[in-house]
């Protein structure tokens, strides 16, 4: 199978290699022309952006070929699983815009799997091993050296059946015995060397409670669950490629016991997982960050979780665009975080309302503007979308501008505010700075300027050539808000590669900066949780769900600067 995209016939879009497989299978009438996929998360954490890649493929293929995608919780390890995660996973999939056919749980198949394991024992193809996991590991051999047979390998069937039953009745301690498939200790595929298929766990299960003590291992549960449900295309990430022969072996054996099922069988296909720079993509590590309060929760806007991106202001469309751009191949790699930022910037550029917010305010007094006067200026909501209309912003004698937009002894190329030069105040007038007031420490406390009444936005004189345009808000009409500025969570590009270091020591100490005295225009008074805005000249921001009318909180989704374009231009 080629990993290259297939060259399309004229007028057709190019197919990724999975779509090409599905089209071929359909053309050959495989599985009666049915397409059925599943998304199989283990409910042991929240979904991350890597899962979004799998979701878009599993649900996308079903949608594209008139099939169905079911949601299956792969809940075979009660130690790590919880219903909190089940609910969160469902929310995230729906937020991404997908609907599953049915919801299944691997735990629904515990009885079927047990029966199948019993059939294998009866057929002399599974045995109870009483060795420790260390002993079993030692006997496995290496890819070039055959393994050693367990002394329990030829245990009589009756004894195996009796012990297997005991594994489930509480008579056997955790770790005391396991059930192994009896396949081939010399096989070059290590997964065939008598894999463990059942172990004992006493922790109650989130759905089946204490009914079971013997639990199937992933390899024994996954393929069979696909089979019981009628999955045709079982899509997973590349690390499972080496498991595929075992997946097929278990299905072959199972079909011996169920000849009535005809020619149907599921097939596994593998694609490259998503890795992103400056973050980690492992639920275990993300859970650690949450448990140790290194972030504020699973939905901390710095987290690579789907709920983290949602809270940060990412839209489902931006995530879809990103996933489309990276595509599906057979080569693992790491994707530049800037590409994800590029996708949200592009989406919000088309959608977000433009407003004014001053993050680091300093007062600007227009000395020749009448005291007590207010003018309502017209501000375009989105220059990319005329239908978005306009809103009004109040202008008055005292304004706030960004501290960094002023410089006392400015070089020639400083096109912002400096004494003696003109600058435009967005949607208002052209003003000229006349001086400043400083406090005892020498810090600028007020800036003074004069406006030219003939340069009001829209008047002919307003077209006068002025290099800089600044945003501002009116002191008497603005609101105060908290603004949270996020940066990358880790300070190294690929934290997972630094094997010798604890990944927690690689966290970026400056990943969150909280500004509590930002000034925002009144238009934002009734902004709704998660609503997206562009703070002009600064970036895209959204309303944090914790925001309240008496304490407004905004998150920076992404800055305006597109570092991805720079990267692209370099190539
Ligand atoms: P993690 O390693 O983060 O704990 P996992 O693979 O154990 O993830 P599962 O809940 O088993 O998580 O994953 C459900 C599905 O999502 C699987 O089909 C898996 O292959 C896919 N998946 C997980 N991580 C990624 C990723 N980074 N990129 C693409 N698909 C992924
Ligand atoms: Mg997994």
């Amino acid at each position: 199978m080629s990993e290259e995209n297939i060259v399309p016939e004229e007028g057709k879009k190019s197919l990724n290699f999975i779509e090409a497989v599905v089209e071929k299978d359909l053309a050959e009438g495989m599985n009666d022309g049915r397409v059925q996929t599943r998304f199989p998360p283990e409910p042991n954490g929240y979904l991350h952006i890597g899962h979004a890649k799998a979701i878009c493929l599993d649900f996308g293929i079903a949608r594209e070929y008139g099939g169905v995608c079911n949601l299956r919780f792969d809940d075979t390890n009660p130690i790590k699983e919880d219903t909190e995660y089940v609910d969160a996973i469902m929310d995230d999939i729906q937020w991404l815009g997908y609907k599953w056919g049915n919801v299944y749980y691997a735990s629904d198949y515990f009885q079927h799997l047990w029966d199948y394991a019993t059939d294998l024992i009866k057929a002399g193809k599974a045995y109870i091993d009483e060795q420790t996991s260390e002993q079993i590991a030692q006997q496995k051999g290496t890819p070039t050296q055959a393994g050693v047979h367990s002394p329990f390998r030829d245990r009589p069937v009756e004894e195996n059946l009796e012990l297997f039953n005991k594994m489930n009745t509480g008579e056997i301690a955790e770790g005391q015995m396991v059930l192994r498939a009896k396949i081939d200790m010399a096989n070059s595929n290590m997964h065939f060397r008598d894999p463990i298929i059942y172990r004992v766990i006493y922790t109650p299960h989130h759905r089946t409670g204490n009914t079971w003590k013997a639990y199937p291992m992933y390899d024994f549960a996954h393929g069979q669950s696909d089979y019981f449900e009628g999955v045709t295309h079982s899509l997973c990430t590349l690390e499972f490629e080496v498991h595929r022969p075992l997946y097929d072996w278990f299905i072959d054996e199972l079909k011996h016991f169920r000849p009535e099922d005809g020619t149907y069988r599921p097939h596994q296909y593998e694609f490259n997982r998503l890795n992103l720079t400056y973050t980690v993509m492992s639920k275990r590590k993300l859970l650690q960050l949450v448990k140790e309060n290194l972030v504020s929760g699973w939905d901390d806007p710095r987290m690579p979780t789907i709920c983290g991106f949602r809270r940060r202001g990412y839209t489902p469309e931006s995530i879809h665009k990103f996933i489309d751009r990276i595509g599906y191949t057979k080569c693992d790699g790491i994707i530049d975080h800037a590409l994800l930022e590029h996708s949200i910037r592009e989406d919000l550029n088309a959608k977000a309302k433009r407003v004014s917010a001053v993050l680091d305010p300093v007062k600007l007094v227009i000395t020749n503007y009448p005291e007590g006067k207010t003018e309502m200026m017209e501000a375009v909501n989105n220059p990319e979308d005329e239908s978005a209309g306009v809103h009004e912003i109040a202008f008055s004698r005292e304004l706030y501008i960004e501290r960094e937009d002023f410089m006392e002894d400015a070089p020639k190329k400083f096109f912002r505010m400096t004494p003696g030069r003109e600058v435009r105040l967005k949607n208002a007038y052209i003003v000229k700075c006349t001086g400043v007031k400083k406090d005892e420490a020498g810090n600028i406390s007020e800036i003074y300027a004069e406006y030219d009444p003939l340069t009001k936005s829209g008047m002919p004189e307003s077209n006068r050539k002025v290099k800089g345009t600044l945003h501002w808000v009116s002191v008497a009409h603005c609101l105060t808000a908290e603004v949270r500025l996020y940066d990358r969570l880790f300070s190294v590009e690929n934290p997972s590669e630094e094997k010798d270091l604890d990944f927690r020591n690689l966290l970026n100490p400056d990943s969150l900066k909280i500004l509590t005295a930002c000034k925002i225009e009144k238009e934002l008074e009734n902004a709704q949780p998660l609503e997206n805005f562009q703070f002009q000249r600064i970036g895209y921001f959204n309303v944090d769900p914790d925001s309240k009318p008496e304490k407004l909180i905004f998150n920076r989704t992404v800055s305006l600067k597109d570092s991805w374009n720079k990267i692209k231009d370099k190539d």
Side-chain angles (χ1 to χ4, degrees), residues 38-44 46-55 58 74 89 218 222 235-240 271-275 281-284 286 328:
R38 83 288 169 267
F39 174 62
E42 184 177 358
N44 61 351
Y46 283 59
L47 298 180
H48 51 60
I49 183 92
H51 292 114
K53 177 173 176 174
I55 290 171
D58 292 327
D74 215 335
I89 288 169
Y218 173 88
H222 200 90
L235 312 174
C236 62
T237 35
L238 281 174
E239 68 272 22
F240 292 104
F271 59 93
N272 60 334
R273 53 190 294 128
L274 169 62
N275 299 302
M281 210 75 88
S282 138
K283 278 188 277 188
R284 182 180 58 79
L286 297 176
Y328 298 88

Side-chain angles (χ1 to χ4, degrees), residues 139-406:
Q139 290 168 353
K140 272 244 150 152
T142 67
T144 51
Q145 192 186 16
V148 175
H149 283 190
S150 159
F152 299 99
R153 201 170 194 260
D154 296 316
R155 205 193 270 281
V157 168
E158 282 313 314
E159 214 175 295
N160 281 321
L161 287 175
E162 194 188 319
L163 290 174
F164 189 40
N165 263 313
K166 284 189 175 168
M167 274 177 67
N168 203 38
T169 50
E171 290 164 80
I172 303 295
E174 286 187 7
Q176 198 185 331
M177 8 184 119
V178 293
L179 181 69
R180 296 176 73 179
K182 189 170 170 179
I183 310 182
D184 178 7
M185 288 303 287
N187 201 295
S188 60
N189 185 330
M190 299 289 283
H191 294 283
F192 272 34
R193 297 189 182 176
D194 291 9
I196 296 172
I197 58 177
Y198 265 88
R199 61 193 155 169
V200 176
I201 299 174
Y202 280 164
T203 308
H205 187 276
H206 75 115
R207 293 187 76 238
T208 58
N210 291 312
T211 309
W212 298 90
K213 303 270 183 299
Y215 287 92
M217 300 295 287
Y218 173 88
D219 277 327
F220 192 68
H222 200 90
Q224 278 69 267
S225 301
D226 286 343
Y227 185 91
F228 298 140
E229 288 168 13
V231 168
T232 57
H233 298 81
S234 180
L235 312 174
C236 62
T237 35
L238 281 174
E239 68 272 22
F240 292 104
E241 194 166 12
V242 285
H243 295 242
R244 192 188 336 129
L246 185 58
Y247 177 105
D248 288 335
W249 190 89
F250 283 131
I251 302 277
D252 286 339
E253 292 298 321
L254 180 59
K255 286 183 72 64
H256 283 154
F257 302 117
R258 302 169 63 129
E260 66 281 7
D261 289 355
T263 57
Y264 159 71
R265 70 173 301 141
H267 288 270
Q268 176 185 302
Y269 303 95
E270 309 86 16
F271 59 93
N272 60 334
R273 53 190 294 128
L274 169 62
N275 299 302
L276 262 189
T277 55
Y278 298 104
T279 193
V280 293
M281 210 75 88
S282 138
K283 278 188 277 188
R284 182 180 58 79
K285 288 180 181 166
L286 297 176
L287 176 66
Q288 220 173 337
L289 295 178
V290 173
K291 284 256 156 84
E292 296 173 19
N293 294 319
L294 296 166
V295 293
S296 67
W298 284 100
D299 69 344
D300 185 304
R302 291 166 295 178
M303 290 280 271
T305 48
I306 296 180
C307 56
F309 281 114
R310 176 165 63 223
R311 182 163 181 183
R312 173 94 173 236
Y314 276 71
T315 58
E317 294 78 14
S318 67
I319 291 178
H320 285 288
K321 269 188 200 160
F322 168 69
I323 304 280
D324 279 351
R325 278 197 176 110
I326 58 174
Y328 298 88
T329 73
K330 289 282 245 186
C331 310
D332 270 324
I334 183 161
I335 302 286
D336 193 324
H337 196 267
L339 183 58
L340 185 56
E341 295 189 340
H342 176 69
S343 300
I344 184 62
R345 222 178 252 122
E346 194 174 60
D347 193 43
L348 293 181
N349 179 45
K351 291 178 186 162
K353 182 170 179 175
R354 273 57 169 173
V355 292
S356 294
V358 178
L359 302 193
D360 182 16
V362 61
K363 200 184 264 188
L364 170 70
V365 182
I366 315 291
T367 50
N368 60 341
Y369 193 85
E371 269 180 63
K373 177 174 173 178
T374 303
E375 276 181 277
M376 297 311 290
M377 302 299 193
E378 190 170 271
V380 171
N381 286 335
N382 186 350
E384 304 289 321
D385 174 13
E386 215 178 307
S387 71
V390 295
H391 71 274
E392 287 190 326
I393 177 168
F395 182 85
S396 68
R397 188 171 192 265
E398 296 198 344
L399 309 172
Y400 286 119
I401 62 168
E402 297 286 352
R403 196 167 277 278
E404 65 164 29
D405 279 342
F406 177 82

Side-chain angles (χ1 to χ4, degrees), residues 2-8 14-20 327-329:
S2 162
E3 74 226 30
E4 298 298 323
N5 284 347
I6 309 302
V7 180
S14 73
L15 303 179
N16 66 42
F17 76 97
I18 304 265
E19 290 168 321
Y328 298 88
T329 73

